[in-house]
């Protein structure tokens, strides 16, 4: 199962909780990119730019999928599902995509608190524009979960229920 959504949506924290609930392994696509390149996401953006990051992200997703779909929870980076070549891979039969959403103000706040460097999190107006531009694509995920005012565990439980995995 693939968790998609904007920066600050809680993809990694919900993913860890969900994986624990299901007894499935958890993987974070950004961490796979960092491990493959031995560079942080921030370094990749700074030294090589976004286009190179997107190439690495697509390659990492292809590699991940080549290991079989199986029972695992994968948190994608906020832009991964937006790239048409990735959305095409994730649209294959049997793959489940879950969009975690929240009001953009909350996403902006959360994406700062998590303490992760996010090259595409700049000022609030830019953050909002990017969120609104991307949201129609996120809505193409198989399941849509509103996370506002829910705990991480409650969001994970909701996904288990909605997908009949309990
Ligand atoms: C990005 C989101 C980040 C990371 C990279 C680009 C984006 O992941 O992949 O900085 O394009 O929204 P998170 O959503 O985990 O912050």
């Amino acid at each position: 199962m693939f968790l998609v959504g904007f920066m600050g949506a809680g993809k990694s924290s919900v993913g860890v909780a969900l994986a624990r609930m299901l007894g499935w392994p958890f993987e974070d696509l950004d961490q796979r990119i960092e491990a493959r390149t031995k560079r942080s996401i921030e370094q990749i953006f700074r030294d090589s730019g976004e286009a190179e990051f997107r190439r690495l992200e697509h390659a990492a997703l292809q590699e991940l999928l080549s290991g079989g779909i199986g029972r695992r929870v994968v948190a994608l980076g906020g832009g991964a599902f937006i790239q048409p070549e990735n959305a095409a891979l994730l649209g294959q039969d049997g793959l489940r995509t879950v969009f975690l959403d929240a009001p953009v103000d909350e996403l902006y706040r959360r994406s700062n608190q998590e303490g992760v460097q996010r090259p595409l999190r700049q000022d609030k107006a830019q953050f909002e524009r990017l969120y609104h531009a991307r949201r129609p694509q996120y809505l193409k995920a198989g399941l849509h979960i509103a996370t506002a005012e829910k705990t991480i565990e409650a969001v994970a439980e909701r996904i288990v229920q909605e997908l009949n995995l309990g």
Side-chain angles (χ1 to χ4, degrees):
M1 148 171 9
F2 293 83
L3 301 181
V4 311
F6 206 56
M7 294 172 266
K11 302 177 294 287
S12 299
S13 36
V14 168
V16 168
L18 182 61
R20 197 180 306 123
M21 263 175 214
L22 295 169
W24 294 4
F26 169 75
E27 174 157 352
D28 183 299
L29 189 66
D30 280 343
Q31 282 175 8
R32 179 180 284 250
I33 299 166
E34 291 182 334
R36 283 173 109 237
T37 61
K38 301 191 171 57
R39 288 193 288 165
S40 69
I41 302 299
E42 194 199 356
Q43 277 174 320
I44 298 169
F45 267 82
R46 197 182 51 225
D47 300 344
S48 314
E50 180 171 354
E52 175 63 8
F53 172 74
R54 296 299 170 202
R55 271 192 290 279
L56 294 167
E57 182 177 55
H58 181 63
L61 182 63
Q62 273 182 316
E63 182 187 80
L64 188 153
L65 288 170
S66 72
I69 308 159
R71 296 176 156 232
R72 60 183 158 170
V73 178
V74 181
L76 297 182
F81 191 57
I82 304 304
Q83 309 303 312
E85 62 275 27
N86 296 337
L89 286 177
L90 294 164
Q92 294 173 68
D93 281 352
L95 294 189
R96 283 186 280 220
T97 48
V98 178
F99 169 33
L100 301 185
D101 198 17
V104 68
D105 283 356
E106 187 161 337
L107 295 171
Y108 192 68
R109 199 162 31 78
R110 286 191 204 158
S111 62
N112 196 29
Q113 284 171 347
E114 286 168 13
V116 181
Q117 286 292 334
R118 292 187 162 91
L120 294 183
R121 185 191 186 280
Q122 292 150 27
D123 62 84
K124 180 103 185 281
Q126 167 275 343
F127 189 88
E128 287 181 1
R129 270 197 305 278
L130 189 58
Y131 169 75
H132 291 297
R134 284 178 172 182
R135 197 164 182 277
Q137 174 59 26
Y138 292 139
L139 285 168
K140 294 185 182 156
L143 180 64
H144 175 186
I145 306 273
T147 67
E149 282 150 39
K150 290 197 188 85
T151 63
I152 290 164
E153 277 68 31
V155 174
E157 274 164 17
R158 184 67 179 275
I159 296 171
V160 172
Q161 279 167 9
E162 295 275 345
L163 295 178
N164 288 318
L165 295 168

